[in-house]
Structure formats: C-alpha cells, structure tokens
Amino acid sequence: QAWRSNAKDNGMELFVFTTIREPVSWALSAFNWVHRQKVTELRMNPNATATNAALRDLAQENPQCSFLAHSPNWMYPQQHGRWLPKKEDCDLLVDAMKNGIDFVGTTEKHQDTIEMLMYLLDLKNNFTHEHAADSINVASGSIRYNEMTQETIEFLNNISVLDYNMYKDVQAEWG
C-alpha cells in the first residue's frame, strides 16, 4: 500500500503482480535447478543423485508460501533452520495478495500472463518473450516429470498442502 501511495503522489501508475506454480511442478523444477546450479549443496547430501529418493530428500514443505510469507531462510532447512508456515500464515498471505496485488498468475498460463502484461504495459505488438523449455534439455543429474514415481508425487503433494490451497485460491481469484 505504501508503494501505491508513493506512486500516486508521484503521478505514476503501479501494477503489482506475481506468479506461482503448481507445487509438484515447482518441486521438480527446484530440484533440477539445484542439480544444475547448486552442486555444492547437493554434494553435502549423501543421497543426492538423480533419483526419486534424492528429490524427496531435498523437497521442502510449502516452499512458495514460505518464500512469499517469510522469505529469509526459506531454502535448505538443514543449514538455516527454515521457518515453516502454518495454515493461518498462508491464509493471511492469500488475503494480502487479494488486497494488495493486481494480478497473480500461474506458470501454466504463462503465455496468457505475458500477453496481458504486454497490453497493460503498452508494449509493441512485435515484442517477443522467449521462454526456455527446461524439460527439453535436461541436464545430467536432473529428472523429468514422467520419471517421478507415484510415491514421489504423493509425497510432494502431502508436504505441499498449504501451497496447493494457495494455488487453488489464486486460480479462483485470478483465473
């Protein structure tokens, strides 16, 4: 709200948006990114190979709600004593998004979001955005969605209940 007030005082428009992701897809993407970018952290984990077990070992509980509600120390709980959200925290976060954010998109509707932002930001029609498909060029040590076991998918669903609730609320509000 302070940003809105400041923008208004300076004769500026402010459009606030963010994007969230379906929780299992988020966990897989984070795992694959860590394998490509954060090899040091993975080497500290004796099970850190490109297996479903490694994915489960490194998975985080409700990471999107944790990050959006309380960003410090949201990753790697073993090293930082990560703060874990409660249902009330995530409910307050969704309420805050409804009251303070103009739009919350989902990665599944990425292209629609880009087109809406192009319109709102008055970008030229020939503006293009290139989104790299990480699943096409899977790095060594990464896995694809279809390589996850049902056990891994269920595990990720179970540790992401608050993120799923937030995801569903966002779809209902900004679908």
Side-chain angles (χ1 to χ4, degrees):
Q1 297 308 326
W3 288 4
R4 289 191 191 285
S5 178
N6 189 28
K8 183 178 178 183
D9 291 347
N10 288 289
M12 306 279 297
E13 290 186 39
L14 177 66
F15 183 82
V16 180
F17 72 96
T18 192
T19 303
I20 65 168
R21 190 168 191 167
E22 183 275 329
V24 172
S25 173
W26 189 97
L28 179 63
S29 178
F31 177 77
N32 286 334
W33 182 83
V34 168
H35 261 282
R36 288 193 297 268
Q37 304 293 330
K38 300 283 188 180
V39 176
T40 303
E41 285 91 344
L42 285 172
R43 288 186 181 141
M44 289 191 237
N45 181 340
N47 296 324
T49 58
T51 64
N52 281 269
L55 176 54
R56 291 189 304 270
D57 286 348
L58 293 171
Q60 302 160 20
E61 292 180 44
N62 302 297
Q64 293 179 97
C65 183
S66 295
F67 174 74
L68 291 170
H70 191 78
S71 61
N73 300 330
W74 70 281
M75 286 184 73
Y76 309 114
Q78 302 86 347
Q79 293 140 353
H80 299 293
R82 186 173 155 247
W83 175 84
L84 294 175
K86 297 180 179 82
K87 181 182 182 321
E88 302 81 43
D89 300 315
C90 298
D91 290 345
L92 286 171
L93 174 62
V94 170
D95 289 342
M97 285 193 287
K98 289 177 183 178
N99 292 323
I101 296 181
D102 297 299
F103 180 78
V104 181
T106 61
T107 54
E108 294 78 14
K109 293 189 176 184
H110 180 75
Q111 188 59 42
D112 293 338
T113 301
I114 293 295
E115 290 172 14
M116 179 193 68
L117 293 173
M118 286 174 54
Y119 173 77
L120 291 171
L121 298 172
D122 198 27
L123 296 175
K124 297 176 184 172
N125 289 338
N126 63 355
F127 177 84
T128 58
H129 171 78
E130 193 171 311
H131 183 248
D134 290 340
S135 61
I136 294 171
N137 300 315
V138 175
S140 175
S142 299
I143 63 174
R144 291 183 174 93
Y145 192 93
N146 64 358
E147 295 172 328
M148 286 192 294
T149 64
Q150 190 61 37
E151 177 187 11
T152 297
I153 292 170
E154 287 176 21
F155 174 82
L156 295 172
N157 283 329
N158 290 336
I159 67 167
S160 301
V161 171
L162 299 177
D163 274 5
Y164 262 108
N165 290 339
M166 181 175 64
Y167 179 75
K168 286 187 248 177
D169 288 344
V170 162
Q171 288 179 315
E173 183 72 18
W174 288 280

